[in-house]
Amino acid sequence: MPVISFASSKGGAGKTTSAIILATELAEGASVVLIDADPAARLVRWSGLATLPARLAVIRSGGEKMIQDEIAQARTRAAFVVIDLEGSASRLASFAIAESDLVIVPTGDEQQDADEAIETLAQVTREGRARRRPIPAVVLFARTNAAVKSKLEKHINGQLRAATRALATELHRRTAFSSLHNAGGGLRGLDPLEVSGIDKAIDNAQAFAAEVVDILEEARHAEVA
Ligand SMILES: Nc1ncnc2c1ncn2[C@@H]1O[C@H](COP(=O)(O)OP(=O)(O)OP(=O)(O)O)[C@@H](O)[C@H]1O
Ligand SMILES: [Mg+2]
């Protein structure tokens, strides 16, 4: 079933966090395989911290020689396959991107983030050309300010939105999101006495997952047409 990769040539853009948010949210209603394709294995670490949603399985990739088979197998097993990639343009990342139905490129509101996002989108386009198949890719604004954006942030955000396809939903900078790395599991498993703003974070995550599902649907129809 559909394969969604998180890619960015920039380290710390929000790939792993956003992948956890998407996978745990989708697993509320469907089976999901989450592949940790980053040698740093932060997803695997996260998966060991708490009980995972019953429909979510996390696997660690055996590397560039294995990733294609791992994806093929995960596709047969789950309704969604989510892949977290390392923050560099490796062969492993290339192979995963080539197998993807959607590549999500997380970025912040700063100029350097925007430049890196455009470079990553160009990499996805090149990958699609080599495979003679356009690979849908979208920008995801992550770690952005939930309250007010500065004038500069608004400007950069607007310019990147005009130049690329970006998700309307932003994954704001929220303690509930970053605390998943410490607590493990999904947002619904967080302790409201310890973490504030869980409800808002769940709303934000739901809107994000729903938009991703819509885009996958749209891409599937475009392929059939
Ligand atoms: N939406 C968010 N709200 C709050 N904190 C976030 C959010 N997204 C990411 N972070 C924090 O920013 C840092 C980097 O995020 P993350 O590890 O997800 O990035 P990455 O792109 O996977 O990095 P790498 O390239 O090193 O794998 C982490 O400490 C994470 O907790
Ligand atoms: Mg990461």
Side-chain angles (χ1 to χ4, degrees):
M1 293 313 232
V3 176
I4 307 141
S5 290
F6 284 84
S8 74
S9 49
K10 186 178 189 317
K15 296 176 292 295
T16 304
T17 311
S18 309
I20 291 173
I21 294 167
L22 179 66
T24 50
E25 203 51 49
L26 291 173
E28 285 295 307
S31 56
V32 180
V33 170
L34 183 51
I35 301 180
D36 189 347
D38 181 347
R42 288 194 59 216
L43 265 185
V44 171
R45 184 187 160 275
W46 161 82
S47 71
L49 295 174
T51 314
L52 295 179
R55 281 174 284 209
L56 176 63
V58 177
I59 62 169
R60 181 173 187 170
S61 174
E64 66 179 52
K65 291 186 181 147
M66 306 299 295
I67 189 73
Q68 287 160 325
D69 288 340
E70 289 159 354
I71 294 173
Q73 219 201 1
R75 263 188 198 278
T76 63
R77 221 179 119 188
F80 296 96
V81 181
V82 177
I83 307 177
D84 181 34
L85 295 169
E86 64 185 309
S88 68
S90 61
R91 267 164 69 85
L92 174 60
S94 268
F95 289 150
I97 287 169
E99 299 294 331
S100 296
D101 297 282
L102 178 65
V103 177
I104 299 179
V105 181
T107 181
D109 273 331
E110 286 165 23
Q111 190 59 51
Q112 202 195 340
D113 296 326
D115 294 344
E116 298 275 1
I118 286 179
E119 176 46 39
T120 306
L121 289 173
Q123 188 201 341
V124 177
T125 305
R126 287 195 293 273
E127 212 60 63
R129 272 195 183 172
R131 315 274 160 164
R132 298 185 191 284
R133 172 184 84 88
I135 301 168
V138 290
V139 166
L140 163 69
F141 286 94
R143 297 179 293 111
T144 53
N145 207 323
V148 275
K149 286 187 196 297
S150 71
K151 223 172 174 184
L152 182 60
E153 284 168 348
K154 258 191 212 156
H155 176 71
I156 295 168
N157 187 300
Q159 277 205 325
L160 192 54
R161 283 186 180 280
T164 63
R165 177 160 193 198
L167 295 179
T169 313
E170 303 191 0
L171 280 181
H172 298 298
R173 180 185 297 280
R174 295 180 190 276
T175 317
F177 291 152
S178 52
S179 60
L180 292 173
H181 290 285
N182 305 97
L187 294 164
R188 289 168 180 77
L190 293 174
D191 180 351
L193 294 176
E194 287 187 11
V195 183
S196 61
I198 298 174
D199 287 349
K200 275 193 179 153
I202 291 175
D203 286 349
N204 196 174
Q206 275 178 332
F208 167 51
E211 201 180 345
V212 169
V213 169
D214 282 350
I215 289 180
L216 287 169
E217 253 323 89
E218 200 183 288
R220 198 170 63 86
H221 284 303
E223 233 168 62
V224 173

